[in-house]
Structures are given as C-alpha cells and as structure tokens.
C-alpha cells in the first residue's frame, strides 16, 4: 500500500512510472511488427546506431534539450536501418551480417564522439553517458510529454495504416499485386520503430532498448495468433512491466530502474512461455501425456473384438 501511495504522490516515482508505461506501450505495439516479420535485431542495431546521433546533436548545438538529442538519435538510427536494408537487398551480404556491420560501425563512431566530448566539452556534456545504460530517475515532466507526443504520433500512424502494415507483415507479395507501395510502407514502419526506440533511450539506454521493443511482443505472441489482440496484449504487458520495474526499483536502494524494467519484461516472457494456452510449456506437457497401460490395452483389443 505504501508503494501505491508513493506512486500517486511522489513526483519522481510517478514521472518515472508514467515514462516507463508509455515506453512499454509504444515499444510493445511497434515491436510486434518486428517480431512477426522476424526483424527483431533491427531494434538492437537502431538503438546502438542512435548513440552517434546523440553525441553529434550535442556537438552541433551544445544543447541538452531532450527533443534535440532525440532528433539526432532518430537521424542516425534511421540512417543505419536504411543502410541495413540497402546492403541486404543490393549486395550479397546477408541481412544478419549487414545488421552486425552497421551496429558495430555506428556504435564505434558513437563511442569515439562520446570520448571526444568528455575530453573537450567538459562538464557541459554531463548526462550524455546516461544514454548508454539509461537514467530513468532523471526523467522530468517535460521528458514524459515529449515521449507521449512522439509515441502517440507513432501509434496513430500505425492505426491509420493498419491494413497496409498487416499486409506488409504477412503477405507483401499480395500487397504488391494490389499496387500498394510496399517499399515505402517498409520504410515508414522502420521509421515508426526508430521513434519507439528513440523515446526510450533516456529511460533504459542504448544497450537495453531492444529488449523493451521485443520482450512484450514475444510475451504477447504466446497468448494469441491474431495481430490485433497481440498488439493490444503487447502494449498492456509493456506498460504493466514498465510500471512494475519502476516500482520495484524505487522500493530497493541503488537498484537501477532501466535494467529492472527489462528484468520484469523478461519475467513476463518466461511466465508466458510456461503457462500460455497451446504454446506454453506446462500447457503442452499437461495435454500430451502418454496414454496409460489400461488405455493402450483397451485400444489394442478393440480391433480384435470387432
């Protein structure tokens, strides 16, 4: 009860919980498309590629405004995603190899820029390191507003293009036959995923952001075979585990919020994989028991009796 009271009355905990809930909702919804299209690692590549954008935005503007840093992160994240797609489609480099190349190259560039800023920018760049592992406790109301605005726009676009994105995920060839611009839709979906990643960098950081994108979707996938319920469940699981991670982190001293949120999401995945109907391990064990000797003997004698 004390934690629930603090969740309502404590400014820091309330702000962090709201930010984590928004992040989980947006990440889970858009991450569902990445899971269904088997492009889960694109989130990891984009998240790591966002680091040079953050450092570059600060280097060019000298501003720590979260919107400016997010725009920088989105620029390099989107560039990395497009380079991965272009490399995989125009060369003989496999998709997973292209992902690994871009992830390493952009992340390396980001670390170089961060090191340069530490040596030359001094105290003015304090706080940029938080984007590596996240610093959810530093969220303020303005950050939550930015997350809500950008995440809300991404979700609205997703809903407006529901049928088109569904075709892109399950039957792109049919979409081509209908005359739909599937390549443009693919780029748009990638952009929406980049937005989902960028708004969460301050909360969980570059290293853990891909888990926020993928874990709620993987958990939701265990419970349903339909797109609509899956996205709804993923959004709910993402929001609930985000709040749970924030509350658990606040209840224990020196427990980092971002990793705790990711652990809660991982726990949701584990529980779903165990108990979900039809797909869950325990459910399948309970419904695929070997037949008893009595049943075997009776079934074996039936043909003879007949």
């Amino acid at each position: 009860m004390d934690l629930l009271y603090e969740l309502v009355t404590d400014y820091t905990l309330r702000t962090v919980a709201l930010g984590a809930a928004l992040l989980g909702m947006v990440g889970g919804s858009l991450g569902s498309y990445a899971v269904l299209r088997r492009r889960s690692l694109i989130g990891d590549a984009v998240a790591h590629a966002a680091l040079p954008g953050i450092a570059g935005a600060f280097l060019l503007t000298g501003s720590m405004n979260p919107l400016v840093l997010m725009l920088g992160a989105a620029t390099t994240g989107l560039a990395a995603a497009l380079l991965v797609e272009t490399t995989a489609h125009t060369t003989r480099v496999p998709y997973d190899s292209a992902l690994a190349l871009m992830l390493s190259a952009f992340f390396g560039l980001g670390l170089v820029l961060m090191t340069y800023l530490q040596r030359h920018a001094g105290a003015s760049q304090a706080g940029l390191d938080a984007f590596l592992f996240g610093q959810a406790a530093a969220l303020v109301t303005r950050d939550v507003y930015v997350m809500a605005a950008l995440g809300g726009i991404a979700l609205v676009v997703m809903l407006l293009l529901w049928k088109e994105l569904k075709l892109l995920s399950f039957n792109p060839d049919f979409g081509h036959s209908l005359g739909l611009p599937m390549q443009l839709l693919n780029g748009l979906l990638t952009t929406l995923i980049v937005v989902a990643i960028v708004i969460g960098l301050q909360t969980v950081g570059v290293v853990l952001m891909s888990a926020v994108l993928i874990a709620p979707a993987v958990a939701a996938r265990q419970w349903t075979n339909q797109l609509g319920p899956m996205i709804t469940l993923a959004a709910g699981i993402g929001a609930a585990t985000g709040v749970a991670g924030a509350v658990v982190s606040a209840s224990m001293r020196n427990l980092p919020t971002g990793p705790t949120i990711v652990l809660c999401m991982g726990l949701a995945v584990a529980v779903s994989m165990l108990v979900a109907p039809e797909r869950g391990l325990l459910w399948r064990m309970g419904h695929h028991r070997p037949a008893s000797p009595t049943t075997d003997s009776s079934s074996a004698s039936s043909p003879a009796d007949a």
Side-chain angles (χ1 to χ4, degrees):
M1 289 299 293
D2 291 339
L3 282 175
L4 291 177
Y5 178 75
E6 289 183 17
L7 186 61
V8 177
T9 59
D10 185 84
Y11 168 80
T12 301
L13 179 57
R14 184 175 68 246
T15 303
V16 173
L18 282 174
L22 286 169
L23 175 59
M25 186 182 302
V26 177
S29 300
L30 293 168
S32 298
Y33 288 101
V35 169
L36 291 172
R37 300 181 68 209
R38 300 186 179 182
R39 300 288 180 89
S40 299
L41 286 179
I42 190 65
D44 203 22
V46 170
H48 283 74
L51 186 61
I54 294 169
F58 176 80
L59 191 62
L60 292 174
T61 65
S63 172
M64 291 291 293
N65 187 301
L67 185 58
V68 173
L69 299 180
M70 284 183 184
L71 288 174
T75 301
T76 52
L78 186 58
L82 294 178
L83 282 173
V84 168
E85 295 287 344
T86 303
T87 302
H89 285 89
T90 60
T91 69
R92 295 186 177 182
V93 178
Y95 185 82
D96 57 345
S97 298
L99 276 173
L101 286 171
M102 298 306 164
L103 184 154
S104 303
F106 276 82
F107 190 59
L109 176 61
L111 291 178
V112 169
L113 290 176
M114 294 290 285
T115 303
Y116 173 82
L117 287 173
Q118 287 175 353
R119 292 179 179 177
H120 295 84
S124 63
Q125 57 80 47
L128 288 182
D129 289 344
F131 285 94
L132 275 173
F133 300 102
Q135 192 174 3
L139 287 176
V140 295
T141 303
R142 180 183 62 177
D143 300 329
V144 176
Y145 286 155
V146 172
M147 293 171 67
L150 295 177
I153 292 172
L155 291 180
V156 168
V157 173
M158 179 193 75
L159 293 174
L160 290 175
L161 296 175
W162 180 267
K163 293 181 180 179
E164 290 81 358
L165 295 179
K166 189 174 182 179
L167 274 177
L168 178 67
S169 301
F170 295 106
N171 200 340
D173 292 334
F174 182 60
H176 276 296
S177 69
L178 294 177
L180 295 175
M182 303 309 289
Q183 285 296 105
L184 181 61
L185 287 170
N186 181 57
L188 180 59
L189 179 58
T190 301
T191 303
L192 297 180
I193 292 174
V194 169
V195 171
I197 291 170
V198 165
I199 65 174
L201 292 179
Q202 187 176 354
T203 306
V204 297
V206 165
V207 177
L208 298 175
M209 185 56 219
S210 60
V212 177
L213 191 72
I214 301 305
V218 171
R221 181 68 180 92
Q222 311 308 310
W223 297 90
T224 181
N225 292 320
Q226 298 180 349
L227 179 63
M230 177 181 172
I231 289 181
T232 303
L233 273 173
I237 291 171
T241 51
V243 173
V247 171
V248 171
S249 174
S251 66
M252 299 183 185
R253 190 175 181 181
N254 296 326
L255 192 64
T257 306
T260 306
I261 291 172
V262 171
L263 284 175
C264 289
M265 291 181 174
L267 180 61
V269 173
V271 170
S272 298
M273 295 181 71
L274 282 174
V275 303
E278 296 186 10
R279 290 177 176 269
L281 180 61
L282 294 180
W283 191 94
R284 285 186 292 172
M285 289 174 61
H287 287 74
H288 290 82
R289 294 175 180 172
S292 63
T294 305
T295 305
D296 290 343
S297 60
S298 61
S299 60
S301 62
S302 295
D305 293 338

